[in-house]
Structure formats: C-alpha cells, structure tokens
Amino acid sequence: MILYFHGFDSTSPGNHEKMRQLRFIDTDVRLISYSTEHPRYDMQQMLNDVARELADVDKQQVIALGVGLGAFWAERIGFLNGIRAVLINPNLTPEHNMVGRIDRPEEYADIAAKCVTEFRKKNQGRCLCILSRRDEVLDSKVASATLSPFYPIVWDDEQPHKFPELGSHLPTIKAFMTAP
C-alpha cells in the first residue's frame, strides 16, 4: 500500500495523475488529505487517518510518499507510524517559505521541535529522497545537504517542483518499497 500525501496545492489534478502512476507499482494507493492551513490540527488528523489505514495491514508493505509539503508530512507521519517514506522535493522548512500562504506557519516550527529529537538519525535509511535539479520552488541542494547524512538521495534532471512524471523513478520506488 502507498499512502500518498499531496503537496500544498491540494486541488491540483497532478495529484490524481501521480496516484495513477503509483498504481503501476502497487494497486492500493490511498490519499492522505489535509487542509494545508492549520498544521497542528492537520498533524493530528493525519495521524488518525494513517492509524486507521494501517489497522489491518503489514506495515512492512506500506510506504508514505509525499511531494513538497506532502513530503514534510510523509517523513514525520511515516516515522511516527513506523513505516518507510519516499520524499519528493521535500519542503523542509514551511515555517519560513510558507509565510503569507498559510494561516499559522509558526506551527511547523513547533511541530518540528516537538517531534522526537534527532528523529532523522533514529529514522536513518527508512526514507528515500528524490530531488529535482530543476526545482523552481525550493533549493534542492539545501535538502540534499540536510537529508543525505540520513537517507539515500536520487537526483532527477528533468522534473520541476511538482514532479508530474514519476515514471522513470517507479522502479526505484518499488525496490525501496519491497526491500526487507
């Protein structure tokens, strides 16, 4: 099963398209939706939604996958639920780059501070990060420097921030998903 966390643009038709592409590697792709405006409330809602989705499945066969802001959530929710995650062009600091776009950006800093200390060290190797060299929204070099000590990084030379075409990375995602 793949739990798909949309990015900030939750109503984009690209979300449906990415979920359709992910069905080539697992027919069970489920959307984890959130408002993007109220981070603390969103986190509790996502934790409840994911717990419900994981109730009757083998967690070893599940990954969280998110793009942009969705990758921020996939990494944390995945860690807190003991599942692996795929982070695509992750937004690592929404408290800085979402100011003016969401109501309470400071809540992201609070969430990061309240998450388990050194959670990436404790989560080492449990995430795969796919970064676009052509990300027009975020600096992927910063994401690479931050995440590469903990997670493998796969670079893409073609895709923009929203990463509309997952096709060339589906075998890598599948291999990560099915690894012991």
Side-chain angles (χ1 to χ4, degrees):
M1 174 189 340
I2 299 173
L3 301 176
Y4 177 77
F5 292 75
H6 62 77
F8 178 69
D9 187 4
S10 60
T11 60
S12 167
N15 290 313
H16 175 72
E17 178 58 25
K18 282 188 271 295
M19 290 177 67
R20 189 189 66 73
Q21 291 173 44
L22 290 168
R23 285 189 178 96
F24 284 104
I25 59 173
D26 192 313
T27 57
D28 191 359
V29 180
R30 301 179 189 185
L31 175 66
I32 302 297
S33 189
Y34 55 99
S35 74
T36 72
E37 293 186 6
H38 308 289
R40 277 194 210 123
Y41 173 78
D42 289 343
M43 184 168 187
Q44 188 58 54
Q45 174 193 334
M46 285 184 280
L47 285 168
N48 291 338
D49 291 349
V50 169
R52 215 173 13 261
E53 297 294 346
L54 296 175
D56 297 320
V57 300
D58 177 4
K59 287 189 201 180
Q60 292 299 102
Q61 304 300 314
V62 179
I63 62 166
L65 184 143
V67 179
L69 187 59
F72 172 91
W73 289 117
E75 181 186 25
R76 282 158 180 79
I77 301 294
F79 171 75
L80 292 171
N81 281 283
I83 60 175
R84 290 176 285 180
V86 176
L87 316 176
I88 300 174
N89 289 335
N91 184 344
L92 300 178
T93 56
E95 67 274 18
H96 298 299
N97 56 39
M98 299 299 286
V99 173
R101 300 180 85 186
I102 57 175
D103 288 342
R104 298 173 184 90
E106 69 280 358
E107 289 184 11
Y108 284 102
D110 187 49
I111 289 165
K114 288 184 177 171
C115 207
V116 177
T117 53
E118 298 185 2
F119 84 96
R120 288 188 177 122
K121 186 175 182 182
K122 294 172 183 170
N123 201 37
Q124 192 155 358
R126 305 253 325 137
C127 289
L128 170 68
C129 188
I130 301 173
L131 299 174
S132 175
R133 294 188 198 278
R134 295 181 181 223
D135 190 330
E136 73 285 4
V137 176
L138 301 170
D139 185 346
S140 42
K141 291 177 187 164
V142 171
S144 177
T146 303
L147 299 175
S148 64
F150 310 103
Y151 312 137
I153 305 292
V154 175
W155 287 97
D156 182 276
D157 293 323
E158 303 298 323
Q159 298 300 307
H161 177 71
K162 288 187 179 184
F163 224 99
E165 297 296 326
L166 296 172
S168 66
H169 297 284
L170 291 177
T172 304
I173 295 168
K174 177 73 172 180
F176 178 74
M177 183 177 176
T178 58

